[in-house]
Amino acid sequence: MAAVLATNIVKQFDEVLAVNGITLAVPDGEFIVLLGPSGCGKTTLLRIICGLERQTAGDLIIGGSIVNDIPPRARGVAMMFQSYGLYPHYTVRNNIAFPLRTQRASRAEIDRKVKWAAQLLGLSHLLDRRPRQLSGGERQRVALARALVREPTALLLDEPLSNLDAKLRASARQEIKQFQQRVGVTTIYVTHDQVEAMGMGDRIAVIEHGKVRQVGTPAEIYNEPADRFVATFVGSPPMNLLARNDAYLGFRPENFLPREMVDDGNGGVTEFSFRVDRCEYLGSERIAYGVIEGFESPQLITAKLPPAHVAEESIRPGEWHRFAVRNSALRYFDHDGKRVNRS
Amino acid sequence: MVTIAEPVRKQPVSRFRFILDRRDVLGALFVAPAILYVFLLVGVPFLLAVYYSISAYTIYDPSWRFVGLSNFEQVIQNPVFLDTLGNTFLFTFGSQLLGLILGKFGALLLLRPFPGRKIVRALIILPWAVPIALASVAWEWMFDSLYSVINWTLIALGVIDRSNAPNWLGNPHLAMLCVIVVNAWRFFPFAIVVFLAGITSVPQDIIDAATVDGAGFWRRNYQIILPMILPIVAIGLIFGIVFTFTDLSVVYLLTNGGPVNATSVLGFEGFQVGIVSGDVSHGAAISLFMLPVLFLVVIGMLRFIRRREI
């Protein structure tokens, strides 16, 4: 059974169409990531799911019942906000207890659940502190504890890591994911960061201009993008696109290598003449930017080279080189940007 | 090769050329007018009042004879003074409470979007901006014993009878109610501004979090928003209390302290005794009574704010 089911959700703000007919089913216990650029409608969708916004059209079903006109407090969802939304005048204990108090839980039950949530997230020693006395990572865990303490049907996370520094972000990613697997709560996670999406999601829904472009596992999204937007939005550097007649040919930078490094396999290879304009050395990889002879391309073509295998002297800026892509790694898109099997 | 060390030439510079770039000099220069202003217009009259209150100075006998605290003793023993002190507390806290309640509801209404909100927000400042002398004329007519528009409305609605219509400014209790209402009316735009500033400073994420956490309108307002804006409200309240406690304009214009001293407040009494009757030393003693009271109130509230600081 789907824990959360959105059917044809539309949200219109005055002139702006923020969500344009999104249908999405999130099975029980799944960790789904809504990924998209800023302003694509992903946060609006999340706010509709938790009831802070009312959709203009479409139905929302949570835990088997239609909740279109049910206020947030009765929907059984919990949300964690980008800035955490902790109550600054309450201690950690009272922050976590707040959702239970609104449900008029007994004092003993509140005590028990606050202890449970605090222990789960390693907050037991911080219960009497105020939010301003906590570090960013601790605040985030308090927000998570507050969201979980009333055992929601679905947990909604709105860019929860964007306030953490890069190092903390990596460990927090790990923590949230492990924690979600342990508790098994259905989780909808909004982010614009593809690393978070790829690393954490069981499935990813890529959203652009209020529409879902593709839903799939991280591997499907990366390897089998449904259209040009997904192909160029996911992956860093993005997929290379070559215009050919009225269609596009795409391949990932890591599949675009010097000819001698590409073995023919059974599908054969496609060769290109590649003029390198600039190289970036990034430690574990080297990225070459340039143009391909005979093709037009919306952006510079990139090749991701393993430095261990490609000596620095062999790829020099300003020179033409023979590069190739295995045919099995080529993707084709029609003039509308939709993926097609073979052109 | 790179040369690191080169001979440095020292240019002769006047000592005063960059004097205005120095923080200590420029800072003192900027603050000086304010200090001078406060000293001349607040400090000097205050010190003069302190001296009057311990002397036997009247306008008929301008002697600077030192009499110690006897003026204060005489003032305290006067039953009218004690009534006045009670009235002052009632007037101050009554009008502040009423003003705060009106301000809170006004702010909540003005936060909701509706057509013409900007105009209403501007108009709401009027009671505060209109000179109180002018507003008092309108209020006096509204409370007039014969032509009261309030009575006229109540009679038309059948709530009261023409024969026993209330004499608003003639009845001691009603007169106190009237000055409290007028002062609250004067104060509430300020309270609205304070509440608006407070409420709009609460991050939307926190209000949203409370909504998702299951808090309804009342819980959101009284358990989340109000405690968060309490320090700002308390600052507004300190201003309100200090200004009302020392104010005499509403009482002077509307009831002249009457009937029978029922609405007389400290500022008014000090003015009556010290200026109108010419007994400067006793007037100063009455007025100075406010100082320790206000001092304690302000200290208490500032401590409260510090404790509540988030």
Side-chain angles (χ1 to χ4, degrees), chain B residues 118-130:
Chain B
K118 279 188 181 162
I119 297 173
V120 175
R121 274 196 186 187
L123 287 180
I124 212 87
I125 303 297
L126 271 183
W128 202 26
V130 167

Side-chain angles (χ1 to χ4, degrees), chain B residues 62-190:
Chain B
S63 71
W64 293 83
R65 191 160 50 85
F66 177 75
V67 296
L69 294 175
S70 70
N71 288 333
F72 289 94
E73 275 170 39
Q74 286 156 16
V75 163
I76 292 175
Q77 279 156 14
N78 182 353
V80 173
F81 173 77
L82 293 179
D83 284 347
T84 299
L85 197 61
N87 287 343
T88 309
F89 276 101
L90 190 61
F91 174 66
T92 303
F93 292 102
S95 60
Q96 293 307 300
L97 187 68
L98 194 59
L100 280 184
I101 293 170
L102 287 174
K104 174 88 200 302
F105 281 99
L108 285 179
L109 287 176
L110 286 181
L111 277 172
R112 296 184 162 271
F114 58 85
R117 181 170 71 161
K118 279 188 181 162
I119 297 173
V120 175
R121 274 196 186 187
L123 287 180
I124 212 87
I125 303 297
L126 271 183
W128 202 26
V130 167
I132 184 64
L134 188 66
S136 300
V137 176
W139 281 106
E140 213 173 326
W141 278 108
M142 284 201 268
F143 291 134
D144 189 88
S145 56
L146 281 179
Y147 309 109
S148 165
V149 68
I150 299 170
N151 286 357
W152 184 87
T153 310
L154 291 175
I155 292 167
L157 289 172
V159 179
I160 55 167
D161 189 14
R162 188 181 295 275
S163 57
N164 54 16
N167 183 356
W168 294 102
L169 299 177
N171 172 312
H173 297 298
L174 289 180
M176 181 46 102
L177 185 68
C178 289
V179 289
I180 287 177
V181 165
V182 173
N183 206 54
W185 172 82
R186 216 178 140 200
F187 169 69
F188 96 96
F190 177 66

Side-chain angles (χ1 to χ4, degrees), chain A residues 113-169:
Chain A
K113 287 197 170 164
V114 168
K115 260 189 202 142
W116 167 77
Q119 205 160 28
L120 201 64
L121 286 151
L123 296 166
S124 301
H125 60 295
L126 303 171
L127 283 176
D128 293 316
R129 296 224 194 140
R130 295 269 175 94
R132 73 182 148 94
Q133 299 166 304
L134 303 177
S135 70
E138 287 164 346
R139 278 179 209 179
Q140 189 221 3
R141 299 213 302 274
V142 174
L144 205 53
R146 186 179 68 185
L148 275 165
V149 72
R150 57 188 179 138
E151 297 167 58
T153 316
L155 175 63
L156 314 177
L157 307 171
D158 184 10
E159 310 229 1
L161 305 185
S162 55
N163 284 350
L164 302 179
D165 61 49
K167 202 173 161 193
L168 206 53
R169 208 176 292 179

Side-chain angles (χ1 to χ4, degrees), chain A residues 176-194:
Chain A
I176 291 184
K177 179 68 186 168
Q178 276 183 349
F179 165 82
Q180 189 268 342
Q181 282 170 338
R182 206 162 60 218
V183 183
V185 60
T186 310
T187 304
I188 304 178
Y189 185 107
V190 161
T191 183
H192 64 266
D193 181 337
Q194 47 166 309

Side-chain angles (χ1 to χ4, degrees), chain A residues 27-168:
Chain A
D28 228 350
E30 185 178 65
F31 193 119
I32 190 166
V33 178
L34 308 183
L35 174 68
S38 8
C40 73
K42 53 194 193 304
T43 296
T44 306
L45 180 63
L46 205 67
R47 290 172 67 86
I48 288 170
I49 294 173
C50 77
L52 288 171
E53 305 281 354
R54 170 73 160 89
Q55 68 269 32
T56 315
D59 282 327
L60 185 69
I61 296 159
I62 296 175
S65 39
I66 295 186
V67 295
N68 295 347
D69 295 305
I70 305 232
R73 65 173 184 275
R75 290 193 178 196
V77 296
M79 179 147 166
M80 184 172 146
F81 293 83
Q82 190 167 0
S83 62
Y84 311 140
L86 296 180
Y87 311 128
H89 55 295
Y90 281 160
T91 58
V92 169
R93 184 191 309 280
N94 286 332
N95 262 286
I96 301 176
F98 188 79
L100 299 171
R101 296 229 167 90
T102 63
Q103 292 182 324
R104 304 215 158 77
S106 71
R107 186 171 287 196
E109 195 190 349
I110 291 177
D111 259 8
R112 187 172 55 77
K113 287 197 170 164
V114 168
K115 260 189 202 142
W116 167 77
Q119 205 160 28
L120 201 64
L121 286 151
L123 296 166
S124 301
H125 60 295
L126 303 171
L127 283 176
D128 293 316
R129 296 224 194 140
R130 295 269 175 94
R132 73 182 148 94
Q133 299 166 304
L134 303 177
S135 70
E138 287 164 346
R139 278 179 209 179
Q140 189 221 3
R141 299 213 302 274
V142 174
L144 205 53
R146 186 179 68 185
L148 275 165
V149 72
R150 57 188 179 138
E151 297 167 58
T153 316
L155 175 63
L156 314 177
L157 307 171
D158 184 10
E159 310 229 1
L161 305 185
S162 55
N163 284 350
L164 302 179
D165 61 49
K167 202 173 161 193
L168 206 53

